[in-house]
Amino acid sequence: MSTTTELQKDAGTAGTSEETLLELESMRVFYGAIEAIKGIDLTVRKGEIVALLGGNGAGKTTTLRTISGMLQPRHGQVLYRGERIDGIKSHELVQFGIGHVPEGRRVFSTMTVRENLEMGAYRFSSVDSAEMDRVFTLFPRLAERRSQQAGTLSGGEQQMLAIGRALMGKPELLLLDEPSMGLAPLIVQQIFEIIEEINKQGTTVLLVEQNATQALGLANRGYVLETGEVAMSGPAADLLADSRIREAYLGEGAA
Amino acid sequence: MSLQEFWDYLVLGVMLGSLYAVIAIGYTLVYGVLQLINFAHSEVFMLGAYGSLIVLQLVNPGDNPTAVASIGFVALAMAGSALFGGVTAYGLEKVAYRPLRRRGAPRLIFLITAIGASFFLYNLAGKLFGRDPLPLPEMYDNHNVFTIFGAGVNITQLLQFATAVVMMIGLDLVVNRTKLGKGIRAVAQDAEVAGLMGVDIDKVISRTFIIGGVLGGVAGFLFANLNQVSYTMGFIPGITAFAAAVVGGIGNIRGAMFGGILIGIVETMTVPLLGDEWRSVSAMVVLILVLMFRPMGILGERVGRAA
Ligand SMILES: Nc1ncnc2c1ncn2[C@@H]1O[C@H](COP(=O)(O)OP(=O)(O)OP(=O)(O)O)[C@@H](O)[C@H]1O
Ligand SMILES: [Mg+2]
C-alpha cells in the first residue's frame, strides 16, 4: 500500500493545520451492474462536522457503507489517515476508530439498553464504565431505561441508543446515517445538539442527512450528492446561501 | 395404564426429552446465526457416538472396573464424543457452508448442501466403521441408584439426564453471560451491525457450530450408551430433535429445551397408550399441531432471537 502520494496531496489542500482523517478518491460503487456511486471525492478533516446531503437514492447510505467496509468500491480508494482501508472488513475497521450509526438505527431489539451499549464496546476486552457513564450523561433517558429491552424504546430513544452504542467504541470518526429520520422536530433538535456536543468533545463527524438546513447549520462543510455524483460542495454557510440548495432541499427539509 | 406406569414412562420421557433438547439446541443455534437448517447435525450426533466408541476401544475398560476407573472411562468417552462432534461441526461449516456464504448463495442451496453433507457423512461412517451396529463397551456396572415417583433410575439414565442438564445450564450461561454469547446473539439479530461493533462474524459462526457440535456429539454418546452405535443412528433422533426445535420456536434456545422435553414425554407416553410403532408418529403429530396453531413455535417470537 503506497500512500505517500496521497499524504502529500492532503498537505496541499486547504489552509488549515488540521490533518485529513478520511479521504474518498474517485470512488465508484456498484450493486451488480448498477452503478450507485459514480466516482466521488470527499475529504473529512479531524475535528470537523461534514454534512453529506442528497435526496432519496442519491447514494448517501451506499457511501457510508463503503467507508465502513460493508461494501467494496470497484474503482478508486478509501483512505483513513492516509492508509488504504477499502478491502478491510467492517469488524476489523472498527479498530481504526470508525464508528457507524446505521440508517434506521438497527439497535439489538431483544437486548437491553445496557447490553446494546456493551455491544458497542465489543472491540475492547472489557467495557469501560466511564464511557458508559458519559453516554448516560449525554442521554439521561437511556440511563433511566438501562434495563429495558431496546425494542420497546421509542424511535427517538432508539436513535439515542444507536448513537450511544457507536460512542462506546470510542470512535475518532463517527458516521451518522440520517439520525433525524422519522423523529419529531423537538427530538431532532435534541439529537442535533448532542451531535454538536459529541463533536466538541473531540469526535469528527460525517453526517448524512436529508434535513439540509439543520445539518448545514451544524456542519463546517457539506457535500450534495445527486444520483451518485457530487453535485455541489463547499463551506456550510455557502451551501446554505446557495439558491439551488434552497430550491432543492429547503422545501423538503421542512417536511 | 396404571398410575405407576404413568410415573415410570414420565420419568423415561423426561430423560429421553433431555437428549432431544441437547440435540435440538444444535439446530436452533445454527439457525439463529445462519438461518440454516443444518440437516447434517444428525451426523454430528452419530459421529460423536463413534468418537466415544473409538476412545473406549482404545482404553478398553475390561471387566468390573473400579468406581474411580469407571468415572474415568465415562469422562474419556464423553471427551471423545465432544471432540468428534465439535470437529465434525467445525469442518462442516468450514468446508460446506462457508464457501456458499462467501458467494451469497440462496437459502435452498444451503439446504441441499446440508442434506448432501448428511448423506456423505453417514455413508463415510458406514464405510470407515462398518455397517453393523456395535454396543459401547461397558464402562461401569449398571444398577438402580434411586427411585423417583416409584420409578427406578439406573446409572445410565442418571448419567444421561444429569449430563444433559449440566450442558443446558452451561450453554445458557455461555449465551447470556459471556462475550462470545453476546456476539452470538448479536449476529443472530443483525449480523451486519454486529460486524460494525467489531464482532468477527466468521469466528462467531464457527464457534457456534463448535458449541452445537460438542452438545450434539455428547448427546450421541449418551444415546449410544442406552442403545448402540451405528452409522444410521443419527437419522431418527436428528429428525425428532429438529421437530423439537421447531415446536419450541426455531432460533430460541430455551424453546429448543422445552420442545425437546415435550416431545420426549409425548413419544414415550405413546408407547403404553398406542404401542411402540406409534412413537415417531406422535412426535410428528405434535409438530403438526403446534405448526397449525402457533407457526412460530411455542416460545418463538420472531426469527433472530437466540435466547
Ligand atoms: N442492495 C442494493 N441492491 C441494489 N441497489 C441498491 C441496493 N442498495 C441501494 N441500491 C441503490 O443504490 C442507489 C443509492 O442508494 P442509497 O441507499 O445509497 O441512497 P440514499 O442516498 O441513502 O437514499 P435514502 O435517503 O433514501 O436513504 C439507489 O438507487 C438504490 O436503489
Ligand atoms: Mg440512505
Side-chain angles (χ1 to χ4, degrees), chain A residues 231-248:
Chain A
M232 271 177 276
S233 65
D238 294 2
L239 289 177
L240 261 178
D242 193 292
S243 60
R244 284 169 300 171
I245 295 261
R246 302 195 77 88
E247 273 167 36

Side-chain angles (χ1 to χ4, degrees), chain A residues 60-61 103 177-178:
Chain A
K60 307 179 297 295
T61 298
E103 183 174 34
D177 199 340
E178 295 201 46

Side-chain angles (χ1 to χ4, degrees), chain B residues 223-259:
Chain B
F223 193 85
N225 197 28
L226 277 173
N227 305 283
Q228 282 187 318
V229 185
S230 81
Y231 73 107
T232 55
M233 68 181 276
F235 185 67
I236 298 286
I239 290 284
T240 312
F242 168 60
V246 175
V247 162
I250 188 107
N252 183 312
I253 291 168
R254 287 178 186 163
M257 297 178 186
F258 177 81

Side-chain angles (χ1 to χ4, degrees), chain A residues 48-50 68 151 156 171 204 206 211 220:
Chain A
E48 278 188 316
I49 298 182
V50 174
S68 54
T204 307
L206 177 56
N211 204 329
N220 303 92

Side-chain angles (χ1 to χ4, degrees), chain A residues 65 68 70 89-92 94 98 100 102 106-111 115-116 118-127 149 165-166, chain B residues 102 176 179-187 189-202 204 301-302 304-307:
Chain A
R65 289 164 57 86
S68 54
M70 291 187 266
K89 288 186 196 154
S90 50
H91 74 266
E92 289 164 356
V94 181
I98 301 180
H100 187 156
R106 289 166 75 174
V107 295
F108 297 111
S109 57
T110 63
M111 292 187 193
E115 285 177 315
N116 266 275
E118 286 168 1
M119 276 312 300
Y122 198 88
R123 77 181 180 102
F124 302 114
S125 54
S126 64
V127 179
Q149 288 227 326
R165 180 178 65 180
Chain B
R102 288 269 178 281
N176 289 309
K179 191 167 175 181
L180 173 63
K182 219 176 275 164
I184 291 174
R185 285 155 62 206
V187 169
Q189 270 193 38
D190 191 332
E192 200 174 65
V193 174
L196 284 181
M197 306 290 114
V199 179
D200 183 341
I201 300 168
D202 285 345
V204 164
E301 280 161 41
R302 48 175 220 98
R305 192 188 164 106

Side-chain angles (χ1 to χ4, degrees), chain B residues 38-297:
Chain B
N38 178 19
F39 276 116
H41 190 56
S42 48
E43 271 41 77
V44 171
F45 168 86
M46 176 269 294
L47 286 167
Y50 274 105
S52 59
L53 177 67
I54 287 166
V55 168
L56 286 176
Q57 282 174 344
L58 282 177
V59 296
N60 188 19
D63 294 333
N64 302 321
T66 63
V68 176
S70 289
I71 294 170
F73 292 132
V74 169
L76 281 173
M78 211 177 276
S81 65
L83 182 72
F84 268 55
V87 168
T88 307
Y90 172 81
L92 259 175
E93 193 273 326
K94 203 109 192 168
V95 175
Y97 303 137
R98 187 168 297 193
L100 298 180
R101 219 148 42 78
R102 288 269 178 281
R103 288 175 179 76
R107 290 277 160 77
L108 188 61
I109 306 297
F110 277 89
L111 203 61
I112 293 168
T113 303
I115 295 169
S118 174
F119 281 13
F120 170 77
L121 285 174
Y122 86 73
N123 282 299
L124 182 72
K127 181 99 185 119
L128 286 178
F129 306 127
R131 292 176 196 272
D132 296 323
L134 294 166
L136 284 184
E138 231 164 72
M139 292 164 281
Y140 48 81
D141 168 33
N142 197 18
H143 55 264
N144 279 4
V145 274
F146 64 85
T147 53
I148 179 166
F149 305 126
V153 174
N154 62 34
I155 293 181
T156 300
Q157 292 170 323
L158 178 67
L159 175 67
Q160 176 198 326
F161 186 67
T163 309
V165 169
V166 167
M167 288 198 293
M168 284 190 268
I169 293 171
L171 177 85
D172 209 77
L173 290 176
V174 166
V175 169
N176 289 309
R177 301 280 170 81
T178 68
K179 191 167 175 181
L180 173 63
K182 219 176 275 164
I184 291 174
R185 285 155 62 206
V187 169
Q189 270 193 38
D190 191 332
E192 200 174 65
V193 174
L196 284 181
M197 306 290 114
V199 179
D200 183 341
I201 300 168
D202 285 345
K203 202 158 114 188
V204 164
I205 290 176
S206 188
R207 301 233 165 124
T208 305
F209 270 83
I210 292 173
I211 292 173
V214 166
L215 294 186
V218 173
F221 158 64
L222 298 171
F223 193 85
N225 197 28
L226 277 173
N227 305 283
Q228 282 187 318
V229 185
S230 81
Y231 73 107
T232 55
M233 68 181 276
F235 185 67
I236 298 286
I239 290 284
T240 312
F242 168 60
V246 175
V247 162
I250 188 107
N252 183 312
I253 291 168
R254 287 178 186 163
M257 297 178 186
F258 177 81
I261 304 275
L262 178 72
I263 289 214
I265 293 173
V266 171
E267 244 196 48
T268 311
M269 283 293 181
T270 308
V271 176
L273 293 174
L274 297 173
D276 193 42
E277 64 275 23
W278 290 94
R279 258 180 97 118
S280 298
V281 177
S282 69
M284 293 305 140
V285 169
V286 173
L287 176 64
I288 291 165
L289 285 177
V290 168
L291 289 183
M292 276 168 69
F293 296 105
R294 239 188 110 77
M296 72 297 274

